[in-house]
Each structure stands twice: as structure tokens, then as C-alpha cells.
Amino acid sequence: MKILVTGVAGFIGFHLTKRLLEDGHEVIGLDNINDYYDVTLKYGRLLELGIEKHQIQEGAYCTSSTFGSFQFIRMDLSDTVSMQSLFESNHFDGVCHLAAQAGVRYSLENPMAYIDSNIIGFTHILEGCRHQKVGHLVYASSSSVYGLNQSQPFSTSHHTDHPVSLYAATKKSNELMAHTYSHLYHIPTTGLRFFTVYGEWGRPDMAPMIFTKAILEDKEIKIFNHGKMSRDFTYIADIVEGIMKVLFQPASPSEAFDATLPNPSISSAPYRIYNIGNNAPVSLMEFVETIEESLGKKAKKQFLPMQAGDVESTYADTSDLMKDFHYQPHTPLKEGIDAFTKWYQSFYSKEEE
């Protein structure tokens, strides 16, 4: 099958693309390689997929030297003409839309980046799927949509009407936009609410990378809400396994949908929403201790109040994903952290050479 993966130079997009190629699928990967975080990491991921930095030119396809069935194109989601041309010149069997302006805290500083990428860009994806009759659109939502909701574990049957960051609001908007296109144009769409993904090639603005870097450099790590936080940390391989299960089974209308008492996660349209997480939250302090143990070194800790736009806890109810796709994360935290810290020390030691 021919799959479009957006955000292919990103953390999840890279790992998903590698798995799709290994399983024999044809992939076109799109990314604008913006400088939200160190582009060295993005180019490093692309190199692992057989795309060298000197090959890349804006709007031109690059063919992988490692995977002959992979092509990369540098393109911005907000570019109307280029996005239309991308869909018109390719017949995609499926689209996995992972590109977005990420980061809860950054949305406080640069809100327009989120509108351009997460709203305008997502509209271009929907329009492309509509006009080219793509078989299934799977897109990244986020656990952040639960906002002020304190009823845990978070369930997709909960309403998500109280976001606490613009990032969360754009992800909620994506779900509503997807439903509209599923209803009007019968496009099968599935939204996946990711819960704190970690692992090799992870983002440098996320806790695992921030903590590991600081510990190795003998610098303080910032512990917000005085450590009274927990997250449903989910290892990247478990996330990819879940996406693979969903991608090749398009959403369909639900016979269980009751318009007089609507469940937000299902619809009379071919539309579904799932949580994808570990279904087992870990306290922030336990997470830090696991990294310390893996590195064989203690962290210097600075305890601070809660940050604006942040939430105290996340906990995914993944029962729907388990029931419909037999999804079952299996990577223990220690195993995942050990794999991450081993990669981190290897990658950055090479960077210093």
C-alpha cells in the first residue's frame, strides 16, 4: 500500500515510517524540518531512513538509498498549492498525519505557529483526502485535550470541552474537523490521543531528553508542581504497534451511536477516537529515579510550582483500543528507559566527535 506520513522527520513519524518500510509498504514522507528544536536530530532520523541532508531541496522528491520504496519531500503543511499538488500527483491508500506544531508551553509564546500548522495544515490534509478519495486518514490528537477534566482514567467517552492550552485547543479542533469531513464526505478518519511517548530518537523538549541531558552534564533538572505529577509514559515501539493496527482497518459508522445521547468517541459517520497509551501512569519522581538508575548517576533537582498550561496527571483508558484492535503495550518503564539512555549516549557522543 502507498502511505503518506506527515512529520516523517519527527519522533513518531520516523519510527512509524521505518516500520511501514520494513513491512513492505511504499511511503512518501513529508516534513518542513522547522527549527522548533535542533534540526540535527531531524536530519539524523532522515539519514536512518536513507535520506542525506545534501539531497534535500524544498518541494523536490528525494529517493532513499536504503529503502527504495521511500521518498521524502520537504514541504510546509500550510502551503495550499504544494499540498494540493502532492495529493493530485499521488494516489495514497492511507494517510498518517503526525506533523504538527508540538509543545504545550511553546504555544504560550508563538500561538500563530499552531494555527498555521495544526489548523490550516490539517484543513489541507482533509481536503486532499476528500478530493483524492483516500481510504483512511489516521491523525495525531493528544492527551492534552482532556484539559481541566480530573476524572481518571481519561476515557474517550468523556467530553473534552475545557482545554488549558492553545495546543490542546488545536488538537480538539482537529477532532471536530475530522468528524465534519467524515460526516459530509464519508472519509474514514481515526484520531489517536497520544499519551507521553518516549524512546530512542525522542524530542529534546520532552522530559526524558531534558532530564538525561541535565543529569549527564551535572545540571539541575526542574521538577514542577514539587514532584506531585504523574504521566502515562508510553514506549515508542508500543505506540507504533498501535498505529499499525489502526491504519489498515478504516473507521466505520458505529451501530452503537445514539444521537439522543451521543458518545464523543463514535459516530454515525466513519469516525473514531482512541486513547493510545500505556494504561498505567507513573509518578514523575519514579520516572526520574528510573533515569538515574539507568545512567548510574543522581540528578540535581530544583522543585518548582506548576506551570501554566500544564496538568497534574494523565492516565489513559485504552479499553476501546484493546477491544477493537487487541492493542496491548508490553514495554516496562525500565526496559524503555534503558533503551533510550543507551541511544542518547551513543548518538550524542558521535555528535561531539
Side-chain angles (χ1 to χ4, degrees), residues 163-175:
V164 295
S165 70
L166 182 61
Y167 171 70
T170 62
K171 288 299 183 179
K172 169 69 173 179
S173 298
N174 288 171
E175 295 178 1

Side-chain angles (χ1 to χ4, degrees), residues 36-342:
Y36 168 63
Y37 61 78
D38 184 9
V39 295
T40 302
L41 194 57
K42 299 182 180 185
Y43 285 119
R45 295 179 186 131
L46 289 174
L47 187 59
E48 286 286 303
L49 296 171
I51 301 293
E52 297 189 27
K53 183 178 179 180
H54 68 81
Q55 293 178 263
I56 300 170
Q57 295 181 0
E58 193 79 29
Y61 289 87
C62 309
T63 302
S64 168
S65 59
T66 306
F67 301 94
S69 52
F70 176 57
Q71 288 187 302
F72 171 75
I73 183 166
R74 184 170 186 172
M75 185 180 292
D76 198 294
L77 288 171
S78 63
D79 184 333
T80 304
V81 174
S82 295
M83 289 296 293
Q84 183 177 341
S85 175
L86 174 71
F87 276 90
E88 288 177 348
S89 57
N90 295 280
H91 177 73
F92 297 117
D93 299 295
V95 172
C96 192
H97 177 54
L98 301 172
Q101 179 56 61
V104 169
R105 291 159 194 158
Y106 186 64
S107 66
L108 303 175
E109 305 166 17
N110 193 358
M112 290 311 300
Y114 291 77
I115 302 303
D116 290 341
S117 179
N118 301 5
I119 302 298
I120 296 173
F122 190 61
T123 304
H124 290 153
I125 293 291
L126 290 169
E127 280 290 285
C129 291
R130 168 196 173 189
H131 290 293
Q132 301 307 317
K133 297 179 170 48
V134 171
H136 192 198
L137 167 62
V138 175
Y139 61 95
S141 186
S142 169
S143 61
S144 67
V145 300
Y146 289 103
L148 292 178
N149 179 19
Q150 293 187 5
S151 177
Q152 295 198 17
F154 292 143
S155 169
T156 53
S157 64
H158 294 166
H159 288 276
T160 51
D161 301 325
H162 300 91
V164 295
S165 70
L166 182 61
Y167 171 70
T170 62
K171 288 299 183 179
K172 169 69 173 179
S173 298
N174 288 171
E175 295 178 1
L176 298 173
M177 293 162 72
H179 182 270
T180 302
Y181 273 69
S182 292
H183 173 73
L184 291 175
Y185 309 115
H186 311 291
I187 302 166
T189 66
T190 302
L192 297 175
R193 293 174 178 168
F194 293 112
F195 279 72
T196 319
V197 188
Y198 75 96
E200 306 92 303
W201 296 97
R203 279 173 29 206
D205 61 322
M206 298 292 284
M209 190 87 85
I210 293 170
F211 291 168
T212 299
K213 184 176 189 292
I215 292 169
L216 290 173
E217 294 177 357
D218 290 317
K219 296 179 180 177
E220 282 188 341
I221 63 172
K222 295 178 179 179
I223 307 289
F224 292 102
N225 202 34
H226 304 284
K228 297 174 183 177
M229 300 179 76
S230 62
R231 291 289 182 270
D232 205 331
F233 291 102
T234 315
Y235 185 59
I236 183 61
D238 294 328
I239 288 288
V240 168
E241 185 64 31
I243 299 172
M244 291 292 290
K245 287 178 180 293
V246 170
L247 183 57
F248 300 104
Q249 296 188 50
S252 58
S254 174
E255 294 179 0
F257 182 73
D258 180 356
T260 65
L261 194 66
N263 179 336
S265 67
I266 59 176
S267 176
S268 55
Y271 166 91
R272 286 303 307 262
I273 292 289
Y274 293 99
N275 288 331
I276 182 165
N278 202 46
N279 200 36
V282 173
S283 75
L284 181 57
M285 296 313 297
E286 180 184 346
F287 186 72
V288 171
E289 288 163 8
T290 305
I291 296 175
E292 289 175 326
E293 182 182 340
S294 184
L295 295 174
K297 190 174 183 181
K298 287 289 185 182
K300 297 176 181 177
K301 305 176 185 73
Q302 180 186 11
F303 291 92
L304 296 167
M306 179 76 88
Q307 285 197 123
D310 215 341
V311 295
E312 185 173 318
S313 174
T314 64
Y315 179 4
D317 176 354
T318 58
S319 56
D320 287 343
L321 198 61
M322 292 176 179
K323 175 171 63 72
D324 293 350
F325 298 97
H326 307 291
Y327 170 75
Q328 185 63 58
H330 63 270
T331 309
L333 182 66
K334 184 182 185 310
E335 182 181 321
I337 289 296
D338 283 346
F340 166 72
T341 57
K342 182 179 179 181

